[in-house]
Amino acid sequence: MKRIKLLYRFLILINTSFTFVLLIQLLILVIPDFVYSREYGIKILGRFNHLIILVHGLLLLVGLFKVQQGFRAILNLGFYNVSSENRFKKGGRFLILFGVFGAIYNLITASELELDVLVTNFIQYFFVVLVGLGLYILSEFIKNGGILKEENDLTI
């Protein structure tokens, strides 16, 4: 449980920092783009580019927050509980959405990126999708473990 507690605290730090970064991005980049009607001639998505990047970051933040809540449920209720199962499943879904959304964004803006950056981004999004799938599978292990624990408790 010490490692889970350490990971939980680390996620609190990451989520707090990431929330702060997204707020700064909203205030410095997104809002001025729409208030001052900035046009970006070289960008495919124009003034919506920063907004799309913000939404992309919000998907990651929500996914990490759900994982953080899953760890908190494990710390409070034990490993096999429905709450952590549901939160890990939702966190996995958001991380999968983040990866797929990022890959689509990469395809749309491929002409603006160099080849090595494009390939690196696809690899990163692929690994995020794998982590999301791993969390989804972990939630199934927790569900099955909870069922086995319940059956074991009933037989004793």
Side-chain angles (χ1 to χ4, degrees), residues 24-151:
I24 289 174
Q25 181 182 3
L26 178 69
L27 294 174
I28 293 177
L29 296 174
V30 176
I31 293 175
D33 281 352
F34 290 103
V35 170
Y36 300 118
S37 299
R38 289 188 184 161
E39 290 298 326
Y40 297 95
I42 58 172
K43 298 282 187 184
I44 291 176
L45 299 171
R47 78 174 80 155
F48 296 104
N49 191 46
H50 292 128
L51 178 65
I52 291 171
I53 292 171
L54 178 73
V55 171
H56 190 225
L58 286 174
L59 285 174
L60 179 61
L61 179 67
V62 171
L64 291 176
F65 184 70
K66 291 295 180 185
V67 172
Q68 175 189 334
Q69 287 178 329
F71 283 127
R72 185 177 63 207
I74 287 175
L75 290 172
N76 292 341
L77 305 172
F79 190 72
Y80 301 112
N81 64 71
V82 177
S83 179
S84 64
E85 170 201 339
N86 291 332
R87 289 177 178 156
F88 281 135
K89 189 177 287 186
K90 287 179 185 175
R93 286 180 188 158
F94 275 104
L95 289 179
I96 291 169
L97 275 174
F98 172 80
V100 170
F101 185 78
I104 292 170
Y105 177 76
N106 235 12
L107 285 174
I108 292 171
T109 61
S111 64
E112 298 174 4
L113 301 173
E114 294 180 16
L115 182 61
D116 60 337
V117 174
L118 184 72
V119 171
T120 303
N121 286 348
F122 276 122
I123 291 170
Q124 289 174 351
Y125 295 135
F126 177 73
F127 281 116
V128 170
V129 168
L130 287 179
V131 169
L133 289 172
L135 285 170
Y136 205 76
I137 292 169
L138 176 67
S139 71
E140 291 298 317
F141 281 137
I142 292 173
K143 179 181 177 181
N144 292 338
I147 291 170
L148 289 173
K149 183 178 184 269
E150 186 177 306
E151 289 174 1

